[in-house]
């Protein structure tokens, strides 16, 4: 494994690991705030127990996310020194603000965890809301930095020099809104389905049914609502990518030939040698409509882009198909859930619906990982789109492959530890929050 592949692999591993904790850190505090609000308004001890149980999960994910996020910041300098040398002064502002949001989140979380029966009850609830707001802001600021890599702005690039730097314009680049919106909704959908799936499993096992039913309802409403509106943000993102990164869109759809009334490809196996897609379902004109709002519009294919500037087609296409497939599955389950919620309430206690949520537990995070694969692989061979190639930014330091192996071992160990801690936390719910002590008024 050469340095370039090792560096990219280590960055992919780190991002893939960290994004899960980022999503949960952005979203779980809002679940926690809702249950806490119900406790304060109703006095129902079930909601207090839910809030305390979720707050411990938030603390676990916050600690792990802080570690993995810190590693990522070091890796940017270690693995991509040329990138940081030029890009750091331009898009450093969102990273600085993200650090501020992180510290606010840490302080607020400390207040919340140790504030039970010590603060005014509404101030205590407000600290939990601050945890969510600052976590959400932190995630959006990081996405703004990534969006800048896809849509460079806030500087002039002449004769290899970066001049007239404007950090505000860099942060609010053309891609930041669509990426931030899409990522935020994805985080709510992924976390909502994951949490709902865990509680659905506990209900099926008849463990603390009331506790887990109330928890399931909060998580499912958040997750299903996000899943239903996600296609709208996906449409915004697709039109944005079509305008700014036609190579990425072409790779996502394995669209080899520039054409009008371009078909939308569903599934299929790209054949890059013969410039075609085998075994795909084609919807005539739909790619033109999704990209430009016109069924007859022309969509640029890979044939209009020099081969040296084309992203890997197969990986980008498969990741995009996986993301869309997982999103559609969650959307269909969301429609079913809300129909049951409003019209067929007896379905909510039926095992088949709960089993569907258990099966859907990982779908959101699978979609998130696939989406980030599309974003990063689809931008290649550029680390700063159209300005700096990824190969130009990699460190000349030897031995990066060994660093990749070491970090792989560290992340696998962390994953095992986190899973163990969460499993123990879920098991503890059965003893700490016994339904026989729950006041259901």
């Amino acid at each position: 494994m050469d340095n370039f592949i090792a560096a990219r692999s280590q960055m992919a591993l780190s991002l893939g690991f960290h994004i899960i904790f980022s999503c949960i850190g952005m979203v779980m505090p809002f679940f926690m705030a809702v249950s806490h609000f119900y406790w304060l308004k109703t006095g129902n001890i079930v909601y207090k127990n839910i809030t305390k149980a979720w707050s411990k999960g938030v603390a676990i994910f916050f600690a792990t996310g802080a570690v993995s996020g810190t590693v990522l910041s070091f890796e940017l300098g270690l693995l991509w020194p040329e990138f940081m040398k030029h890009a750091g002064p331009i898009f450093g502002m969102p990273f600085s603000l993200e650090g501020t949001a992180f510290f606010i989140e840490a302080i607020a979380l400390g207040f919340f965890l140790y504030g039970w029966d010590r603060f005014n009850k509404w101030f205590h609830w407000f600290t939990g809301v601050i945890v969510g707001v600052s976590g959400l802001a932190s995630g959006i600021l990081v996405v703004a930095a990534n969006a800048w890599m896809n849509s460079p702005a806030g500087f002039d690039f002449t004769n290899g020099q970066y001049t007239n730097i404007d950090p505000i314009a860099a942060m609010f680049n053309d891609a930041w809104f669509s990426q931030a919106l899409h990522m935020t909704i994805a985080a709510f959908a992924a976390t909502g389905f994951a949490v709902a799936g865990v509680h659905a499993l506990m209900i099926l096992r008849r463990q603390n049914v009331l506790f887990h039913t109330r928890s399931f309802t909060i998580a499912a409403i958040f997750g299903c609502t996000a899943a239903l509106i996600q296609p709208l943000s996906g449409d915004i993102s697709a039109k944005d990518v079509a305008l700014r990164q036609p190579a990425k869109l072409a790779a996502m759809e394995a669209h080899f030939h520039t054409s009008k009334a371009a078909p939308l490809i569903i599934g299929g196996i790209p054949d890059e040698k013969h410039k075609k897609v085998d075994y795909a379902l084609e919807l005539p004109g739909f790619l033109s409509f999704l990209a430009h709002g016109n069924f007859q519009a022309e969509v640029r294919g890979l044939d209009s882009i020099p081969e040296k500037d084309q992203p890997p087609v197969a990986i980008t296409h498969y990741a995009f198909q996986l993301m869309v497939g997982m999103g559609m599955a969650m959307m269909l389950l969301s429609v079913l859930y809300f129909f049951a919620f409003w019209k067929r309430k007896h379905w909510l206690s039926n095992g088949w619906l709960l089993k569907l949520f258990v099966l859907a537990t990982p779908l959101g995070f699978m979609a998130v990982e696939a989406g980030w694969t599309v974003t990063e692989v689809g931008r290649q061979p550029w680390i700063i789109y159209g300005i700096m190639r990824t190969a130009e930014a990699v460190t000349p330091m030897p031995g990066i492959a060994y660093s990749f192996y070491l970090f792989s071992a560290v992340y696998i160990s962390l994953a095992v530890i986190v899973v163990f801690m969460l499993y123990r936390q879920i098991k503890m719910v059965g003893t700490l929050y016994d339904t026989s002590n729950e006041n259901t008024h």
Side-chain angles (χ1 to χ4, degrees), residues 270-312:
D271 183 346
E272 296 185 57
K273 181 179 179 180
H274 298 99
K275 310 300 181 186
K276 64 177 184 175
V277 183
D278 297 320
Y279 314 113
L281 174 64
E282 295 187 3
L283 302 178
F286 273 82
L287 180 58
S288 293
F289 178 76
L290 290 175
H292 301 295
N294 183 341
F295 282 100
Q296 298 301 317
E298 181 177 271
V299 178
R300 289 180 62 185
L302 290 165
D303 59 356
S304 69
I305 298 157
E307 284 196 20
K308 62 185 180 67
D309 295 336
Q310 293 181 11

Side-chain angles (χ1 to χ4, degrees), residues 84-105:
M84 292 304 295
K85 174 184 175 182
H86 298 290
I90 304 172
F91 78 113
M93 179 176 286
F95 273 134
S96 300
L97 294 175
E98 189 275 335
T100 302
F102 171 79
F103 283 118
I104 293 173
E105 182 182 7

Side-chain angles (χ1 to χ4, degrees), residues 223-408:
C224 291
T225 301
L228 288 176
I229 63 176
Q230 183 67 308
L232 299 177
S233 72
D235 181 65
I236 294 172
S237 294
K239 287 180 169 58
D240 182 61
V241 169
L243 291 174
R244 293 183 302 94
Q245 295 178 294
K248 178 184 285 187
L249 179 70
M252 287 160 57
E253 280 294 327
H255 184 58
F256 289 102
H257 306 288
T258 300
S259 62
K260 294 184 177 180
L264 181 70
I265 299 294
I266 299 177
I269 301 174
D271 183 346
E272 296 185 57
K273 181 179 179 180
H274 298 99
K275 310 300 181 186
K276 64 177 184 175
V277 183
D278 297 320
Y279 314 113
L281 174 64
E282 295 187 3
L283 302 178
F286 273 82
L287 180 58
S288 293
F289 178 76
L290 290 175
H292 301 295
N294 183 341
F295 282 100
Q296 298 301 317
E298 181 177 271
V299 178
R300 289 180 62 185
L302 290 165
D303 59 356
S304 69
I305 298 157
E307 284 196 20
K308 62 185 180 67
D309 295 336
Q310 293 181 11
V313 176
I315 295 175
T316 308
H317 177 70
Y318 293 140
F320 179 67
Q321 295 292 312
L322 178 63
M323 178 186 71
V324 173
M326 299 300 98
M328 291 299 294
M330 290 190 294
M331 189 176 71
L332 291 173
L333 182 53
S334 300
V335 170
L336 189 62
Y337 174 76
F338 282 125
F339 178 76
F341 192 85
W342 283 312
K343 297 293 185 180
R344 298 287 189 276
K345 287 194 178 293
H346 63 278
W347 287 7
L348 299 175
S349 58
N350 285 355
W352 64 269
L353 184 59
L354 294 172
K355 288 176 182 176
L356 287 177
F357 272 94
V358 173
L359 292 174
T361 299
L363 297 188
F365 286 113
M366 290 171 65
V368 167
E369 298 286 5
W372 273 101
T373 300
V374 171
T375 298
E376 297 301 296
V377 177
R379 189 179 62 245
Q380 300 308 311
W382 307 100
I383 191 168
I384 306 176
Y385 188 71
I387 303 292
M388 178 185 286
R389 293 180 181 273
T390 309
E392 298 170 350
V394 72
T395 178
M397 185 178 70
I400 296 300
Y402 298 106
S403 173
F404 168 63
Y405 299 140
L406 175 62
F407 275 82
S408 297

Side-chain angles (χ1 to χ4, degrees), residues 25-26 29-30 62 97-98 100-109 127-141:
M26 290 166 64
F30 290 103
F62 177 83
L97 294 175
E98 189 275 335
T100 302
F102 171 79
F103 283 118
I104 293 173
E105 182 182 7
I107 293 168
L109 181 60
T127 62
V129 174
I130 292 298
V131 174
V133 172
S134 55
L136 189 62
S138 180
I140 290 174
L141 287 165

Side-chain angles (χ1 to χ4, degrees), residues 165-245:
I165 293 173
D166 183 347
I168 299 296
M171 184 165 69
F172 296 107
N173 57 80
D174 290 341
W176 86 269
F177 175 76
S178 61
Q179 281 197 210
L181 178 66
H182 197 59
M183 183 64 231
T184 300
I185 298 174
F188 273 93
T191 305
F193 271 84
V195 174
V198 170
H199 289 293
L201 180 62
M202 295 298 104
I203 296 170
L204 289 170
R205 292 181 175 179
R206 313 304 299 174
Q207 296 182 9
N208 273 359
V209 173
L210 181 59
F211 174 94
H212 288 295
T213 298
R214 300 290 172 84
S215 303
F216 169 82
T217 301
I218 294 172
I221 289 175
F222 268 105
C224 291
T225 301
L228 288 176
I229 63 176
Q230 183 67 308
L232 299 177
S233 72
D235 181 65
I236 294 172
S237 294
K239 287 180 169 58
D240 182 61
V241 169
L243 291 174
R244 293 183 302 94
Q245 295 178 294

